[in-house]
Amino acid sequence: MKFILRAAVFHFLVLYVVHVLAINIDSKPPFNGERVIQAELNKPVSLVCTLDATQADEELVWLRNDAAVLLKEGNNKGRSSLCVTPIYEDNGAKFTCHQKGNSTDQVSVTLNVIFAPNISGTVEVTVEEEADLVLECDTRANPLVSSVTWSLNGSLVDLLADGFSVINNGLISQLTANKVKKSLHGGMYTCTVDSPMYNDSSRHFQVTITDKTLKFPLGPMIAGLVVVGLTALLAAVSRWRKIVKCCK
């Protein structure tokens, strides 16, 4: 009895191993033990899905986050390959391969796209006095940046004294100043991002504060001019009628 039971278990394990190994994914760069591929932004990743020789004529299906990937004709029988050039949105994307009509047996890999913060250069900004100043710095990175700092003319921005506020959400860092003044808010702003993997990077904003422009309410002015014009016209017509009557 024990022999029969052991034989049955062994037979089941053999079938299970063959079943599991029937479909496989290889990748360049290779995935780790957690089936995660460390990729770099805009550097191609090769994925190859294969069935064993007994299923060479079976069709394969690729999914990206549960959405079907369109394959070229002939790239789905027994062996199917993908070339992925990672973009920001591919970070965390899951690629799954399975036999068509049998999604129970599938293999997957996940992309971990590494990229540095994309900030550099100088931006010219002009704002009127007493208007609001809003500056934004793209801080997207993987791994996440360690810190973001803002400086004005070489000194750290004083959030308490000069009416500044900063919002960081992992995607952008936004510096805001309400009702700016020439004496306080004009000059060279610098957004500096510190990354645990890459060198520090910065973007500069040359902010010029111009005099406040006097703005007149154009609509009411036009309406007033129309009223004045009509009044003058009616007065002239009335006066002309009186002159005509006197001459008769």
Side-chain angles (χ1 to χ4, degrees):
M1 183 68 181
K2 289 183 178 179
F3 176 78
I4 296 175
L5 181 61
R6 289 177 180 174
V9 172
F10 177 77
H11 181 67
F12 171 78
L13 290 174
V14 169
L15 290 177
Y16 176 77
V17 169
V18 171
H19 188 64
V20 169
L21 296 179
I23 186 168
N24 185 52
I25 288 182
D26 291 314
S27 69
K28 291 183 181 180
F31 52 81
N32 60 20
E34 297 179 344
R35 304 191 70 84
V36 175
I37 301 172
Q38 182 163 307
E40 294 185 47
L41 195 69
N42 297 321
K43 288 192 175 181
V45 173
S46 173
L47 303 176
V48 179
C49 180
T50 55
L51 292 168
D52 63 19
T54 62
Q55 298 174 299
D57 293 330
E58 298 293 333
E59 289 189 30
L60 291 168
V61 175
W62 279 100
L63 303 176
R64 180 192 180 279
N65 293 340
D66 300 324
V69 177
L70 183 63
L71 300 174
K72 291 183 178 180
E73 186 177 354
N75 186 27
N76 61 349
K77 292 291 184 70
R79 182 183 185 278
S80 181
S81 61
L82 290 181
C83 184
V84 181
T85 303
I87 59 176
Y88 293 116
E89 290 74 14
D90 285 322
N91 185 37
K94 183 179 180 181
F95 288 84
T96 302
C97 179
H98 66 79
Q99 186 178 330
K100 186 176 182 180
N102 182 15
S103 59
T104 303
D105 301 323
Q106 55 182 238
V107 285
S108 303
V109 292
T110 302
L111 296 188
N112 180 34
V113 183
I114 306 299
F115 55 92
N118 184 24
I119 61 171
S120 61
T122 301
V123 179
E124 300 285 340
V125 179
T126 301
V127 62
E128 288 186 4
E129 196 165 21
E130 295 189 14
D132 294 340
L133 171 66
V134 179
L135 304 177
E136 290 186 348
C137 195
D138 187 348
T139 60
R140 287 179 299 173
N142 185 29
L144 295 174
V145 300
S146 304
S147 64
V148 182
T149 57
W150 286 89
S151 61
L152 172 58
N153 297 326
S155 300
L156 289 177
V157 168
D158 191 338
L159 298 179
L160 298 177
D162 299 332
F164 290 103
S165 62
V166 175
I167 298 175
N168 296 313
N169 63 8
L171 297 177
I172 64 168
S173 179
Q174 184 182 84
L175 177 70
T176 303
N178 297 321
K179 296 183 177 180
V180 296
K181 298 179 180 178
K182 285 185 178 182
S183 58
L184 292 177
H185 302 108
M188 179 67 78
Y189 289 78
T190 302
C191 168
T192 302
V193 174
D194 182 23
S195 168
M197 180 174 287
Y198 302 96
N199 295 329
D200 293 355
S201 51
S202 300
R203 170 164 288 181
H204 305 285
F205 301 84
Q206 181 61 56
V207 176
T208 301
I209 310 295
T210 60
D211 293 332
K212 183 179 180 180
T213 303
L214 295 177
K215 297 179 180 179
F216 297 97
L218 190 58
M221 286 183 61
I222 293 175
L225 290 173
V226 170
V227 171
V228 171
L230 289 174
T231 302
L233 179 61
L234 291 173
V237 171
S238 177
R239 178 65 177 166
W240 176 253
R241 287 177 178 175
K242 290 181 180 180
I243 293 174
V244 170
K245 285 181 181 180
C246 292
C247 295
K248 286 182 178 180

